[in-house]
């Protein structure tokens, strides 16, 4: 491993689950290892079912009620602290997830924006007014709406954006004044806990936030089922999301699940742009984004020309040591994930596909891989392949492209590359997804815009700072004579 050995000559970080600002005391530890070379990068003190009970009780007992200005100040202070500690956060993300350090730095910038927008939104009034004298059946009254915080929400997050997934739930909750118990991924707990510590440091009343890691049955499942929890906000796999849906009982539920987003390249597309967007979409974040490009659908007439440009571009996405600033693509989350990816590539090849670039793995490091002639029923495109794979499929015309795009169980996002506005609008209308981005990757968004998927990808749009804030509140109306 040569020079990289030095970079991993690090002291593991010893962190803990927290109940309302207090560290949990226990001998039970989770160890976190670098996916790249197996170095121990940290430990976390684990919680048990008694800690879950304590965390729920302390949140419901409440404490200092925050004003809008308090919430603005806490979120904005956290944003400043995050920027002061940006490199430390990026390094922690990279160490525990194997993401390239440049991706990890980018993630801190996204988290900055989430905190900025949540701080701004916390100052805005969210009420509406309905005059009642607007029909012959009306009255001289006005109805007003107010949004009230929930008593308690649970946020469960995945590994693939260790910071951004967490902040996308915590910041909107804080902006509305809703207390949260966070259960981050056991694969990437260090970044999440460090963020929680930053929020406490920024002045968040401790009862507003606990973070618990521990055995699934004792912690995550207990939290999800507890009737005192008023909302479960979950981001993760379809299998776990559906399991939660079946066990959650009578409460609000936000599900943001998997995807297999298409990038649809029409014959009039700008092919330089297409090559760039296909590579960015498929390989950024090691292909581990719910909205990564997981299927490249190219019109038959331009496939060869596109492939030439795409391969040239794809070759520049070199994989290697995640902490090396020159590395573009780090590892996937663990070796098991890389073995799965290698396996789906081999299965596609057995069905007639051709690997044009990559295809091999070393440990958890999966090479950025371009695969041509992928059959429409290949596992890698019917199911979600969470890694740096770029499967190429062709379509004949727009009707075929729409049918192919809609043919899987997922419906998260999509990108359509064309110069023809009429066709672009047809895709917007006919693709069964949460988002259609014209001449962009499926993953494009700003952190405050509405985000979410349909079908197996989720219960519709429920994320993005503004939508999430709605989720973390109840609407109350009151009316007065006017
Ligand atoms: P996962 O295996 O479903 O885990 C997600 C979270 O659920 C983790 O915190 C996990 O805890 C927890 N969990 C596991 N079993 C549970 C149970 N029985 N009850 C309650 N919680 C439970 O997902 P992942 O592998 O971390 O993340 C990758 C997936 O997330 C991909 O499918 C990706 O597409 C999806 N994703 C979707 C979006 C979106 O916005 N649509 C965004 C990002 C990622 P442990 O870690 O302790 O097992």
């Amino acid at each position: 491993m040569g020079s990289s050995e030095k970079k991993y000559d690090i002291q593991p970080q010893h962190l803990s689950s927290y109940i309302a600002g207090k560290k949990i005391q226990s001998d039970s530890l989770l160890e976190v290892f670098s996916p790249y070379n197996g170095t121990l990068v940290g430990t976390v003190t684990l919680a048990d079912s008694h800690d879950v009970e304590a965390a729920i009780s302390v949140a419901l007992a409440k404490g200092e009620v925050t004003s809008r200005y308090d919430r603005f100040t806490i979120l904005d202070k956290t944003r400043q602290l995050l920027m002061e500690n940006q490199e430390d956060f990026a390094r922690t993300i990279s160490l525990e997830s194997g993401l390239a350090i440049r991706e990890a730095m980018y993630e801190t910038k996204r988290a900055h924006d989430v905190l900025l927008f949540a701080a701004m939104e916390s100052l805005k009034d969210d009420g509406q007014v309905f005059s009642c004298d607007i029909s012959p059946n009306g009255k001289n009254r006005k109805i007003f709406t107010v949004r009230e915080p929930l008593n308690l929400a649970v946020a469960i997050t995945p590994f693939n954006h260790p910071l951004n997934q967490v902040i996308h739930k915590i910041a909107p909750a804080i902006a509305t004044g809703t207390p949260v118990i966070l259960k981050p991924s056991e694969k990437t707990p260090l970044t999440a806990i460090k963020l929680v510590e930053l929020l406490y440091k920024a002045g968040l009343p401790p009862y507003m936030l606990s973070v618990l890691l521990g055995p699934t049955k004792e912690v995550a499942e207990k939290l999800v089922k507890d009737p005192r929890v008023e909302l479960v906000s979950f981001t993760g796999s379809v299998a776990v999301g559906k399991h939660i849906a079946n066990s959650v009982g009578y409460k609000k539920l936000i599900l943001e699940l998997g995807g297999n987003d298409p990038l649809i390249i029409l014959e009039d597309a700008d092919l330089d742009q297409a090559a760039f967007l296909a590579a960015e979409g498929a390989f950024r974040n090691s292909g581990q984004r719910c909205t990564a490009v997981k299927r490249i659908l190219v019109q038959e007439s331009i496939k060869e020309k596109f492939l030439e440009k795409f391969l040239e571009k794809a070759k520049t996405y070199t994989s290697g040591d995640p902490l090396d600033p020159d590395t573009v693509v780090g590892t996937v989350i663990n070796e098991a994930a890389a073995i799965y990816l290698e396996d789906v590539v081999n299965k596609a090849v057995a069905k007639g596909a051709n690997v044009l670039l990559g295809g091999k793995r070393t440990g958890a490091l999966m090479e950025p891989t371009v695969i041509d002639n992928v059959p429409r029923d290949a596992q890698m495109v019917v199911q979600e392949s969470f890694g740096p794979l770029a499967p190429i499929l062709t379509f004949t015309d727009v009707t075929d492209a729409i049918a192919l795009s809609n043919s899987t169980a997922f419906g998260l996002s999509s990108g359509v590359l064309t110069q023809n506005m009429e066709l672009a609008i047809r895709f917007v209308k006919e693709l069964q997804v949460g988002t259609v981005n014209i001449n962009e990757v499926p993953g494009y968004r700003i952190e405050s815009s509405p985000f979410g998927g349909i079908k197996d990808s989720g219960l519709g749009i429920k994320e993005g700072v503004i939508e999430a804030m709605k989720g973390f509140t109840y609407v109350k109306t009151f009316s007065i004579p006017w």
Side-chain angles (χ1 to χ4, degrees):
M1 213 141 280
S3 65
S4 64
E5 255 167 32
K6 251 204 152 100
K7 289 179 205 137
Y8 287 94
D9 183 15
I10 55 150
Q11 290 299 316
Q13 308 182 46
H14 299 292
L15 302 176
S16 178
S17 299
Y18 278 90
I19 298 175
K22 290 207 180 90
K23 285 185 179 173
I24 282 174
Q25 303 300 322
S26 160
D27 295 333
S28 187
L29 289 185
L30 170 72
E31 292 184 314
V32 185
F33 298 96
S34 152
Y36 177 58
N37 63 6
T39 307
L40 180 72
V41 295
T43 63
V44 175
T45 309
L46 292 178
D48 61 17
S49 58
H50 301 290
D51 297 315
V52 169
E53 189 55 41
I56 292 175
S57 302
V58 73
L60 293 177
K62 297 212 164 81
E64 176 199 346
V65 176
T66 50
S67 67
R68 285 175 188 275
Y69 182 68
D70 294 336
R71 291 178 235 147
F72 166 81
T73 308
I74 292 160
L75 290 163
D76 197 51
K77 178 78 183 160
T78 308
R79 180 187 64 78
Q80 290 168 35
L81 289 172
L82 178 64
M83 287 301 98
E84 285 164 21
N85 294 280
Q86 191 175 17
E87 289 190 359
D88 178 48
F89 266 86
R91 192 176 158 81
T92 304
I93 292 170
S94 182
L95 280 172
E96 68 177 344
S97 69
L99 292 175
I101 190 78
R102 58 163 73 190
E103 295 289 6
M105 279 300 278
Y106 176 66
E107 184 161 341
T108 62
K109 293 177 192 168
R110 288 190 62 189
H112 166 278
D113 285 4
V114 176
L115 284 160
L116 176 70
F117 298 152
M120 286 159 55
E121 289 302 318
S122 68
L123 291 179
K124 287 188 191 162
D125 206 288
D126 43 25
Q128 290 176 294
V129 187
F130 296 81
S131 295
C132 301
D133 59 348
I134 59 170
S135 90
N137 310 311
K139 267 192 172 182
N140 288 334
R141 296 185 68 80
K142 277 189 195 294
I143 299 174
F144 298 79
T145 68
V146 285
R147 285 192 172 266
E148 297 191 334
L150 310 182
N151 285 314
L152 179 58
V154 162
I156 302 181
T157 53
F159 71 80
N160 64 312
H161 284 291
L163 179 63
N164 207 42
Q165 292 296 346
V166 176
I167 199 67
H168 254 293
K169 297 194 187 299
I170 302 299
I174 292 171
T176 60
T178 292
V180 187
I181 300 176
L182 168 68
K183 210 305 286 168
S185 167
E186 66 175 12
K187 300 184 185 102
T188 54
L190 305 176
T191 311
I193 292 174
K194 288 175 83 138
L195 175 67
V196 168
E197 289 177 341
L198 227 54
L199 284 155
Y200 292 143
K201 199 168 165 191
L204 184 69
Y207 82 91
M208 289 285 294
L209 183 59
S210 292
V211 54
L212 302 178
L213 282 125
T216 304
K217 282 230 166 322
E218 282 189 61
V219 177
E221 296 209 342
K222 193 168 158 56
L223 283 168
V224 161
K225 288 178 190 159
D226 194 290
R228 293 166 293 177
V229 171
E230 291 178 334
L231 163 73
V232 171
S233 177
F234 172 84
T235 300
S237 63
V238 177
V240 175
K242 287 191 173 175
H243 173 75
I244 289 175
N246 287 329
S247 59
V248 77
Y250 184 70
K251 53 174 67 87
K252 291 177 108 179
L253 179 61
I254 292 175
L255 292 178
E256 296 293 348
L257 309 179
N260 68 354
D261 292 353
L263 185 71
I264 302 169
I265 306 170
L266 271 66
E267 58 191 357
D268 69 342
D270 172 336
L271 290 188
D272 289 317
Q273 184 187 43
F276 172 71
L277 293 177
E280 286 282 288
F283 304 139
R284 289 285 302 272
N285 227 56
S286 303
Q288 297 174 132
R289 300 169 73 183
C290 50
T291 54
V293 169
K294 296 181 184 127
R295 298 179 287 158
I296 299 175
L297 314 185
V298 193
Q299 194 148 13
E300 253 166 27
S301 50
I302 51 147
K303 189 183 88 169
E304 293 310 323
K305 272 198 227 149
F306 164 73
L307 266 182
E308 200 178 308
K309 286 182 187 282
F310 179 48
L311 279 171
E312 194 183 320
K313 192 80 206 162
K315 282 177 193 154
T316 66
Y317 288 69
T318 47
S319 58
D321 179 353
L323 283 190
D324 187 332
D326 292 332
T327 294
V328 185
V329 182
T331 69
V332 291
I333 191 62
N334 52 33
E335 186 166 11
I339 290 171
Y340 175 85
L341 294 165
E342 200 180 35
D343 182 52
V344 292
V345 171
N346 291 338
K347 281 181 177 153
V349 169
K351 279 177 157 248
N354 316 101
V355 175
L356 302 182
L357 183 74
K360 300 261 175 309
R361 66 160 191 100
T362 312
L365 204 57
M366 180 76 202
E367 291 173 344
T369 298
V370 178
I371 319 113
D372 190 17
N373 294 321
V374 176
R376 291 185 175 197
D377 63 350
Q379 183 179 335
M380 69 160 51
V381 290
V382 175
Q383 293 170 21
E384 182 181 40
S385 297
F386 216 51
L389 306 185
I392 315 283
L393 293 87
T394 53
F395 62 86
T396 49
D397 56 22
V398 170
T399 303
D400 188 30
I402 291 169
L404 179 56
S405 176
N406 289 341
S407 67
T408 77
F410 298 94
L412 190 53
S413 189
S414 60
V416 180
L417 312 188
T418 178
Q419 308 300 322
N420 182 326
M421 191 49 74
E422 217 171 297
L423 290 181
I425 290 169
R426 183 167 167 206
F427 278 98
V428 171
K429 288 182 176 168
E430 295 186 30
L431 290 183
Q432 294 159 2
V433 287
T435 294
V436 180
N437 284 329
I438 305 299
N439 294 328
E440 246 308 347
V441 289
Y444 182 77
R445 62 194 278 207
I446 56 164
E447 312 302 336
S448 54
S449 62
F451 174 78
I454 56 170
K455 296 161 74 180
D456 272 4
S457 295
L459 299 178
I461 296 243
K462 297 256 190 295
E463 286 234 342
V465 169
I466 295 170
E467 290 303 311
M469 283 175 68
K470 293 178 190 163
F472 282 104
T473 51
Y474 290 126
V475 178
K476 181 185 273 179
T477 70
F478 64 95
S479 71
I480 50 178
W482 196 263

